[in-house]
Amino acid sequence: MTQVEPLKKVTVDIRTRPDPQAGAAAPVAFEVAFVCGIGRTGITPFESLLAGRRVGDAIDLRVSAPEAARFFEHLAPLLRAAFAGRDTVELAVRITRITPAEGREVVRAMAEVASSSEGGCDCGCGCG
């Protein structure tokens, strides 16, 4: 069975958990797909938590907005909806698909990482 590892295309379902102390911030759910291991420094801390896991596996994590850029690195813009109006989020992450990344997907993803490292990202997360 396939597991999360570099150069695999990984799709995860992410849901924010309600935070009674945060007040009105409603839970957010979305899907994120990415090529694992192509960040500026290789595997991101987020990808490290997923490494070796399989479809159906789930993890819970808590990340503060100031830590998001370091923790998710180039993936931070994909998760900006989770941080809208929140200083800290609790995330439930479930792996829904793992496939080999096609060459063009790897090249495209690497180009996006390169452009964000050159200041091309305007997400406000501090990743660019």
Side-chain angles (χ1 to χ4, degrees):
M1 186 177 250
T2 304
Q3 62 185 24
V4 176
E5 59 187 49
L7 300 182
K8 295 287 185 179
K9 184 175 180 183
V10 179
T11 304
V12 294
D13 178 49
I14 299 177
R15 298 181 188 280
T16 59
R17 296 207 182 271
D19 183 357
Q21 296 176 359
V28 177
F30 53 98
E31 183 178 82
V32 174
F34 58 92
V35 177
C36 183
I38 54 110
R40 290 180 285 256
T41 59
I43 295 176
T44 69
F46 173 65
E47 292 168 330
S48 289
L49 289 178
L50 298 176
R53 296 179 189 265
R54 301 178 190 288
V55 170
D57 288 352
I59 60 169
D60 293 321
L61 54 125
R62 183 177 174 92
V63 181
S64 71
E67 295 174 323
R70 182 198 60 76
F71 188 73
F72 295 110
E73 294 182 15
H74 65 285
L75 302 174
L78 302 175
L79 288 101
R80 91 175 121 223
F83 288 90
R86 295 175 169 93
D87 293 328
T88 300
V89 294
E90 290 191 25
L91 302 171
V93 179
R94 187 175 54 83
I95 301 167
T96 58
R97 180 180 289 163
I98 304 169
T99 58
E102 295 182 17
R104 69 178 185 274
E105 290 174 309
V106 173
V107 171
R108 184 179 323 120
M110 291 176 77
E112 289 171 7
V113 169
S115 79
S116 71
S117 68
E118 295 168 2
C121 178
D122 63 355
C123 69
C125 69
C127 67

